[in-house]
């Protein structure tokens, strides 16, 4: 399985192949639906995904929520607070974030790739959350954001809100 490749998401792919892959995803009317991955390796595809998130005009976890994600005052209620913040995300961001967390959790289950959830969180945190420009993310905020991604992964089944099995408003009553 390709996800078992050592350093997946950490090892860089070829810029030329990554840009070629991106151009195929950007080309209408298919937008990558029937793309062939022949000639690409797992590192090219992984880098393409990271680059996609980094180049969004607005990060997945949105700049206006950035300070709230990082500075939740009540540690005992952190997971519940994160869940409530998720309700403020645009629907497309929330769905994409849930899928990304699922992918990272799946990837972290393969010891052979040497990418546990801590490593994956550190790699993806700056790609999916950043402060409003011109503010630069501090080292402390970077570390906090990586821990946040780990927390989401740890509680993902309880924090998931877009699955067909989730009944609106009842999600607020679920214990976390």
């Amino acid at each position: 399985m390709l996800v078992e490749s050592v350093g997946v998401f950490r090892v860089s792919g070829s810029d030329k192949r990554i840009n070629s892959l991106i151009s195929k995803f950007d080309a209408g009317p298919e937008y990558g639906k029937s793309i062939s991955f022949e000639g690409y390796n797992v590192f090219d595809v992984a880098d393409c995904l990271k680059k996609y998130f980094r180049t969004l005009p607005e990060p997945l976890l949105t700049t206006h929520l950035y300070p709230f994600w990082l500075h939740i005052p009540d540690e005992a209620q952190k997971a519940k607070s994160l869940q409530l913040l998720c309700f403020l995300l645009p629907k497309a961001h929330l769905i994409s974030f849930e899928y990304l967390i699922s992918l990272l959790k799946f990837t972290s289950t393969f010891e052979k790739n040497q990418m546990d959830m801590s490593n994956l969180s550190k790699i993806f945190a700056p790609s999916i959350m950043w402060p409003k420009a011109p503010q630069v993310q501090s080292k402390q905020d970077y570390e906090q954001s990586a821990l946040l991604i780990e927390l989401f992964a740890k509680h993902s089944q309880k924090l998931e809100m877009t699955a067909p099995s989730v009944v609106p408003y009842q999600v607020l009553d679920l214990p976390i």
Side-chain angles (χ1 to χ4, degrees):
M1 190 175 282
L2 293 175
V3 77
E4 292 180 295
S5 301
V6 176
V8 67
F9 291 115
R10 184 184 67 235
V11 174
S12 297
S14 158
D15 282 339
K16 183 179 177 181
R17 289 191 306 260
I18 293 165
N19 290 332
S20 169
L21 194 56
I22 289 170
S23 68
K24 289 180 180 184
F25 277 111
D26 286 343
E30 291 278 317
Y31 296 104
K33 282 185 180 175
S34 57
I35 195 167
S36 168
F37 290 97
E38 189 174 325
Y40 300 100
N41 62 40
V42 67
F43 306 111
D44 299 331
V45 177
D47 260 2
C48 184
L49 180 65
K50 290 188 306 188
K51 189 170 186 176
Y52 168 76
F53 286 120
R54 278 193 310 267
T55 58
L56 288 173
E58 178 72 13
L60 210 54
L61 297 183
T62 71
T63 55
H64 74 279
L65 291 176
Y66 181 82
F68 301 105
W69 293 118
L70 297 182
H71 305 291
I72 296 172
D74 184 5
E75 283 295 316
Q77 290 294 317
K78 195 165 204 152
K80 191 61 150 180
S81 299
L82 294 176
Q83 182 185 46
L84 294 174
L85 281 170
C86 283
F87 282 116
L88 300 175
L89 287 173
K91 187 175 182 177
H93 289 233
L94 178 59
I95 293 167
S96 299
F97 182 58
E98 287 182 356
Y99 274 107
L100 176 62
I101 293 296
S102 293
L103 173 64
L104 298 181
K105 282 182 63 175
F106 176 73
T107 303
S108 72
T109 62
F110 296 93
E111 283 186 37
K112 186 176 177 185
N113 68 24
Q114 301 173 1
M115 297 302 295
D116 61 18
M117 200 60 218
S118 175
N119 291 335
L120 291 165
S121 296
K122 289 172 186 164
I123 288 169
F124 272 89
S127 297
I128 64 171
M129 62 186 304
W130 59 81
K132 288 183 183 180
Q135 183 183 350
V136 178
Q137 189 177 43
S138 70
K139 183 179 179 188
Q140 180 183 355
D141 285 353
Y142 162 73
E143 291 169 353
Q144 184 66 27
S145 64
L147 291 172
L148 176 81
I149 305 305
E150 280 190 79
L151 184 66
F152 267 108
K154 180 179 177 182
H155 296 289
S156 63
Q157 288 185 318
K158 296 175 185 174
L159 290 171
E160 190 174 76
M161 291 179 265
T162 62
S165 61
V166 175
V167 179
Y169 304 108
Q170 286 184 352
V171 72
L172 294 172
D173 297 329
L174 294 175
I176 292 183

